[in-house]
Amino acid sequence: MQITFASYNIHKAVGLDRRRDPERILTVLREVNADVVALQEVDRRYGRRMAVLPLDMIQASTDYVPVPMSMKPDSLGWHGNAILVRKGIDLVEAAPVPLPVLEPRGAVRADLMIEGRRLRVVGMHLDLSGLRRRHQVRSILSHCADCAQRVPTVMMGDFNEWTRAGGCFREFDRDWQVLAPGRSFPSRRPMATLDRIIVSSEWDVLGTSVHHSPLSAVGSDHLPVSASLVLPKF
C-alpha cells in the first residue's frame, strides 16, 4: 500500500508578493498531489482565528476533506495546524495534541483507515526555542503512546529545527526514521530543512522531495515537502 504524505506551512496564505491568495495555495496542493497533507499556519492568529482556506473552496477545487479538529467555529485547525485527506480515506478519530508552550503552538492527530489498515498522522508546528521543541516532541510521543493501540505513524510539519540531526530529533529513538526531504525555507532561495517527515519503523520509504514550482516559490515562505511511503502487507 503506497501513500504519499506532504507537509506545507502556508504562511496564512500570504505569499512573498504580500497577497493573501488561498486559491494559489490550493493550486500548489493539487500540484503536490499527496494523499494526506499536514498544513501549518492555516488559521489567522488573532480574533476569531478564521481559516485562510475557506472550507467551501477546499471542497470545490480539490479532492481533499479537512479532518474536523476546530475548537473554534471559524477555524480549520488547532493553533493553525490542520490535516487534509483525500476523499475516500476514512477517519477513525481525531484529536488536538496539547503542547507545552509560551506562544500559540500546537499539534493535531488523526487516525485514518486506508485499504483496511489503520494508521496515524500527526501534524505539528513547533516552537522557536530549542529546549521547548524537545519538550513538545516528548509530549507528542507521550500522546501517541497513550493511544489505545499502536499503529503505523507519520509525523510531519514545521519543526523550526535548523540542525540536520540534533536538537529535538534526538527525542526519536530507533523505532523512528527522521526524513529530511531537503531545503524548504525560505521558499525563494531555500537554505534550511525546517520541514520534516518522521515515520515509524513499519514504513518503507520510497522517496522524499521538496516541491519547487513557480507558484510554490511565491505562495508561502515555505515550500511543501513530501514522502512516498509503503506499508507492507500484514
Side-chain angles (χ1 to χ4, degrees):
M1 181 171 63
Q2 181 177 336
I3 309 170
T4 300
F5 296 85
S7 177
Y8 190 15
N9 183 331
I10 67 171
H11 197 233
K12 301 176 180 63
V14 177
L16 300 189
D17 56 3
R18 299 184 181 180
R19 291 193 302 112
R20 191 185 307 276
D21 190 344
E23 180 56 44
R24 179 167 56 190
I25 295 296
L26 294 175
T27 300
V28 172
L29 291 178
R30 291 195 296 268
E31 291 176 351
V32 176
N33 195 33
D35 299 298
V36 181
V37 182
L39 298 176
Q40 302 86 49
E41 297 193 26
V42 76
D43 297 327
R44 302 192 190 199
R45 187 166 185 174
Y46 301 108
R48 292 160 56 189
R49 304 280 181 89
M50 294 181 65
V52 298
L53 299 181
L55 179 59
D56 56 351
M57 185 179 291
I58 295 173
Q59 294 175 332
S61 62
T62 73
D63 290 329
Y64 292 115
V65 177
V67 171
M69 197 77 64
S70 176
M71 308 298 286
K72 292 180 177 292
D74 298 317
S75 300
L76 186 64
W78 160 254
H79 283 307
N81 293 275
I83 296 174
L84 305 180
V85 299
R86 194 179 297 282
K87 294 175 182 176
I89 294 177
D90 294 324
L91 174 65
V92 179
E93 62 180 33
V97 183
L99 298 182
V101 295
L102 289 179
E103 57 178 323
R105 298 286 179 183
V108 289
R109 171 182 63 85
D111 282 21
L112 309 173
M113 191 71 71
I114 303 179
E115 296 184 15
R117 297 289 299 270
R118 182 166 175 158
L119 57 96
R120 182 165 296 138
V121 179
V122 180
M124 67 192 75
H125 189 184
L126 299 188
D127 205 277
L128 297 175
S129 162
L131 179 60
R132 202 163 293 118
R133 283 196 298 273
R134 296 191 72 162
H135 292 163
Q136 290 170 346
V137 169
R138 291 172 195 168
S139 294
I140 293 167
L141 290 170
S142 177
H143 173 89
C144 290
D146 289 341
C147 290
Q149 57 181 292
R150 172 172 174 168
V151 295
T153 300
V154 177
M155 299 184 180
M156 51 186 173
D158 179 358
F159 283 76
N160 269 318
E161 184 65 73
W162 287 73
T163 63
R164 291 193 64 85
C168 68
F169 300 126
R170 293 195 180 100
E171 300 299 322
F172 294 95
D173 60 24
R174 65 184 64 186
D175 291 331
W176 299 92
Q177 184 176 355
V178 179
L179 307 179
R183 297 175 180 177
S184 58
F185 177 86
S187 55
R188 182 81 74 181
R189 186 174 294 179
M191 299 172 56
T193 57
L194 302 186
D195 304 282
R196 300 293 192 100
I197 298 175
I198 298 172
V199 301
S200 60
S201 57
E202 296 92 343
W203 296 96
D204 292 334
V205 181
L206 292 183
T208 63
S209 66
V210 178
H211 181 75
H212 203 302
S213 69
L215 280 183
S216 67
V218 298
S220 168
D221 58 348
H222 286 247
L223 296 172
V225 301
S226 65
S228 294
L229 308 177
V230 170
L231 195 58
K233 294 181 179 180
F234 292 97

